[in-house]
């Protein structure tokens, strides 16, 4: 088979750091160990009833292609949703023609990078970052340039960092707020200052806002119920691209519906051509996503209150473990923790391969895969708090015991 | 806005030739004209009942991500399906681990090109070709190299043409059999000879087989009920990649479920990494696609018999029009026709903008968008026979009258 090697693009692609240890988890399960999954952002909150009902109400007779840009009905409802979140204050109101419905937020990111970068250009990211930003850039032959945020500053991103990091080939900044993997949330003032730096440097700004509802500190929302978003900041009609998804907000990850919103008509035209190439986003899922928009606010609030409790329980549990350093994140449902180990990946494999407490263990995501700079993140892990409080507390107990046991293993090796 | 121009990749992307005239069709509809859509391969055959039922039976409670490579249950069923089609005779039997489930055949094509080509490399296609082959190559910064098949030969592709066309940067040949847009079907012998040329030149061979059931001449199936496929040809385990979709076979275009199958483990590993970047294919649609596999053979046969009647009615109707040249295609549900006009695109726009017969007109796809070589296809159109026989006959009547009227317009201008 050596004659038929994949492309360099294929060989050099990176396996997802979130799923990299899956073979070890599978092996643990085969040994009868129960694995608590804190490695992946798969919410356990029930999907809203009207989303499930939309699937159940689909009746054919022909499951035909939809429009490449998404149905007008859904885009009209989305425009209303964004204007209701204050987008009308960030320039002209959002119109259905500003929106392209995509197959998950994933495809929106792919299209956004493709529409702004040519091969050899650079995407700028703040590390630790969502690893798939780099994955999509790699698929498109685009380089990733990273600047580093620090645990001591709560992984906050500043406009000054952005200004200092932009290089001659940098075409777009991509960040998420509330942030995956750090939970950091940008205030409206910081968001605007970052966009201003981008604009002045001729760099597009892709704001990944899929966690906008997951904020636990009302002050940062400035009277709104969601985190500040780029569409509501005036002055960035030309450079701002917003990426969204129904996955997290409506616990509907498997629907694979997202969207891209921009007031820049030329970018929208380019994205539409990419969208036409793949014909249409999934059709029944789009009906479900449309139904999701009418999820009662009280139901969303209950979910957010649950996550706040989970965050607090996890932070309390981790803080009580000797040597673990953690700060309470403001949003999303992830946190970064620094562990008292020299190589977090080895410890994560140890958790899955050698340790269990009463038949249970924990799967975490080693953090080095969230950094581009070699050597960073070696002591950190990303933990998703997507399980019930009792399970998170149990996970902390397991982690505590495992760290003690591992210290013994390390000392004797 | 000139400051924030899209990437060259975005500016140079081509709008789909199938959808390029949509604004004219929309305008016609607004004037109250009924438009018969022969431009797009959207079947009107009802989606099988068990596919619709799979959506209706989805019950949550959480619509979670699925595995990036597709569910094991669906991949196991697909492996059985391919082995039942003779794939076991083309080397070792297909296993679930040879299969990656994708978001439509579209994503399978994207991943196949990405896994075989780096920027600047070339995809080889036989023109007229499915335009999205070029679209995905363009998105990935890959060039398209085309050789030309001719109407006189029924648009048949030969191994000799492939051998002559492979260049130093050619990394993969992509073709469809049964062919979109031409309806040409490769015999098992021709398919094998083409794969042999690829293999000897170190070029991957992507066989797009989404129309395998749509064959109207039993002889070419050599005793099987489907067109010959690459997985059943021995000797190409290293270079062969098969792309499939549920869209056409099960009239389920809106489900966006396809797959990529290869026995080359390194290619599979590269594709899996791309698949992990976009997390998972749609989940409920995958349940529906799985259900589709048990569609009764009789139901599929009825659909194929319908299409055969449609093909025959369309070919008869077109042949009766003065100056129209057409050959009866062997498969898929498209044909290429040469019209007695100098610029088929202008005529297609005329059909939508200026002509109607009793309030009806016809939308066709001008063929130049199916060619890379400038100037080719100017007199040709692609016609999809996805409507009832009576509507196809009506479309031929409209076309006949329109050509006469247009000849007058051309003569007087």
């Amino acid at each position: 088979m050596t004659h038929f090697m994949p492309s360099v693009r294929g060989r050099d692609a990176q396996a997802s750091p979130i799923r990299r240890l899956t073979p070890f988890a599978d092996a643990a399960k085969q040994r009868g160990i129960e694995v608590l999954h804190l490695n992946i952002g798969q919410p356990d909150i029930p999907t809203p009833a009207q989303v499930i009902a939309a699937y159940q109400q689909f009746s054919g007779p022909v499951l035909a292609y939809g429009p490449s840009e998404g149905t007008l009905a859904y885009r009209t409802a989305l425009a209303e949703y964004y204007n209701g979140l204050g987008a009308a204050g960030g320039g002209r109101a959002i119109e259905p023609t500003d929106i392209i419905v995509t197959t998950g937020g994933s495809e929106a990111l792919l299209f956004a990078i493709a529409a702004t970068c040519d091969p050899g250009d650079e995407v700028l990211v703040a590390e630790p970052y969502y690893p798939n930003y780099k994955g999509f850039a790699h698929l498109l032959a685009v380089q990733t340039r990273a600047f580093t945020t620090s645990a001591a500053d709560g992984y906050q991103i500043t406009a000054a960092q952005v200004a200092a990091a932009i290089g001659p080939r940098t075409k777009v900044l991509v960040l998420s707020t509330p942030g995956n993997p750090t939970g950091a949330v940008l205030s409206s003032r910081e968001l605007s200052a970052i966009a201003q730096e981008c604009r002045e440097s001729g760099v597009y700004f892709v704001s990944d806002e899929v966690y906008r509802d997951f904020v636990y500190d009302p002050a940062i929302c400035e009277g709104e119920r969601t985190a500040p978003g780029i569409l509501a900041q005036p002055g960035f009609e030309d450079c701002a691209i917003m990426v969204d998804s129904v996955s997290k907000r409506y616990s509907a990850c498997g629907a694979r519906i997202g969207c891209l919103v921009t007031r820049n008509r030329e970018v929208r035209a380019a994205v539409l051509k990419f969208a036409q190439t793949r014909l249409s986003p999934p059709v029944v899922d789009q009906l479900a996503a449309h139904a999701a928009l009418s999820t009662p606010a009280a139901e969303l609030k209950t979910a957010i209150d649950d996550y706040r409790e989970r965050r607090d329980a996890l932070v309390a549990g981790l803080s009580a473990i000797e040597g673990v350093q953690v700060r309470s994140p403001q949003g999303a449902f992830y946190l970064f923790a620094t562990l008292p180990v020299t190589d977090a990946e080895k410890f994560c494999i140890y958790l899955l391969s050698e340790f269990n407490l009463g038949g249970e263990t924990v799967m975490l995501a080693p953090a080095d895969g969230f950094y581009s700079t070699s050597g960073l993140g070696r002591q950190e892990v990303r933990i998703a708090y997507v399980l019930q409080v009792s399970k998170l507390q149990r996970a902390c107990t397991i982690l505590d015991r495992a760290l003690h046991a591992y210290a013994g293993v390390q000392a004797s090796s």
Side-chain angles (χ1 to χ4, degrees), chain A:
Chain A
M1 293 263 179
T2 47
H3 188 57
F4 279 94
M5 291 282 281
S7 59
V8 174
R9 169 168 21 213
R11 294 200 297 276
D12 288 355
Q14 289 181 3
S16 162
I18 301 161
R19 299 182 183 235
R20 201 168 57 192
L21 304 186
T22 300
F24 298 99
D26 290 344
K29 289 171 194 172
Q30 285 191 339
R31 294 194 312 275
I33 306 293
E34 186 175 342
V35 178
L36 294 170
H37 280 273
L38 278 72
N39 60 305
I40 191 162
Q42 172 54 61
D44 65 336
I45 303 278
T47 309
Q50 69 270 35
V51 175
I52 308 288
Y55 287 101
Q56 295 171 344
Q57 285 157 16
F58 178 67
S59 63
V62 181
L63 178 47
Y65 290 121
S68 297
E69 64 271 33
T71 67
L72 180 58
Y74 182 42
R75 288 182 293 117
T76 302
L78 280 172
E80 192 181 334
Y81 164 73
Y82 293 122
N83 288 325
L85 288 177
R92 65 168 173 75
I94 296 300
E95 298 165 12
T97 48
D98 299 324
I99 301 172
I100 305 266
V101 178
T102 55
T103 306
S106 296
E107 192 181 60
L109 289 166
L110 179 78
F111 289 168
I113 296 171
T116 56
C117 297
D118 288 307
D121 287 343
E122 284 171 357
V123 169
L124 181 62
V125 295
E127 63 183 1
Y129 53 81
Y130 178 53
N132 293 339
Y133 296 159
K134 188 175 181 178
F136 290 120
H138 177 80
L139 183 61
L140 294 165
V142 168
Q143 305 301 309
T144 302
R145 185 185 185 101
F147 61 91
T148 310
T149 63
S150 76
D153 300 327
Y155 303 100
Q156 279 291 335
I157 300 166
T158 67
Q161 285 174 312
V162 170
I166 288 172
R169 294 295 305 261
T170 305
K171 294 293 165 63
V172 61
L173 168 70
V174 184
L175 58 75
S176 56
T177 177
N180 173 6
T182 66
V185 181
L186 290 169
S187 69
S188 144
R189 184 178 160 165
E190 288 164 327
L191 187 64
S192 186
I194 289 167
Q196 189 67 36
E197 287 297 344
C198 287
R199 192 177 193 292
E200 282 172 15
S201 305
V203 168
Y204 283 100
F205 177 31
V206 172
S207 184
D208 172 352
E209 303 180 1
V210 307
Y211 296 98
R212 79 167 59 81
D213 292 84
F214 300 87
V215 275
Y216 310 115
D217 175 1
I220 206 155
C221 297
E222 299 164 25
E224 304 290 333
R225 60 173 178 75
T226 57
I230 191 63
L231 297 178
Q233 313 303 320
F236 310 113
E237 292 87 343
D238 46 0
C239 67
I241 301 171
M242 196 278 290
V243 164
D244 207 352
S245 162
V246 304
S247 293
K248 312 297 177 175
R249 186 175 320 128
Y250 304 115
S251 191
C253 299
R256 314 308 301 125
I257 297 292
C259 69
L260 178 152
V261 185
T262 180
R263 292 184 179 94
N264 182 325
R265 288 296 158 111
E266 287 161 318
V267 169
R268 201 265 185 188
V271 170
L272 178 59
K273 289 184 284 183
F274 299 142
Q276 287 184 342
T277 304
R278 58 70 165 132
L279 305 172
S280 89
V283 166
V284 186
D285 305 278
Q286 214 171 150
L287 297 173
H290 190 168
L293 282 172
S294 55
T295 303
E299 192 172 331
L300 281 174
K301 185 178 180 308
T302 303
I304 304 307
D305 289 345
D306 274 358
Y307 281 113
R308 187 183 293 105
E309 276 182 39
R310 291 165 175 200
R311 177 197 66 166
D312 293 343
L314 179 63
V315 170
L318 291 173
S319 301
I321 303 174
E322 193 184 336
V324 172
Q325 293 165 44
V326 64
R327 282 174 55 143
S328 187
Q330 299 167 288
F333 39 61
Y334 308 98
L335 58 74
F336 251 49
T338 305
L339 304 184
V341 297
T342 52
D343 186 328
E345 174 160 2
K346 284 186 184 165
F347 174 67
C348 290
I349 293 172
Y350 167 84
L351 274 170
L352 294 170
S353 304
E354 300 182 40
F355 187 82
N356 79 84
L357 185 64
E360 282 181 298
T361 193
V362 175
M363 185 168 180
L364 307 175
D368 61 332
F370 297 84
Y371 288 89
S372 277
T373 306
S374 181
L376 291 185
R378 293 284 293 277
Q379 296 188 279
E380 289 164 297
V381 289
R382 187 191 76 162
I383 306 181
Y385 44 99
V386 289
L387 300 176
Q388 293 162 19
V389 165
S390 61
K391 286 191 179 170
L392 290 171
Q393 289 167 333
R394 175 76 182 153
C396 288
T397 303
I398 293 168
L399 208 52
D400 188 12
R401 299 287 184 88
L403 282 166
H404 275 93
Y406 190 66
V409 171
Q410 283 191 304
S412 68
S413 66

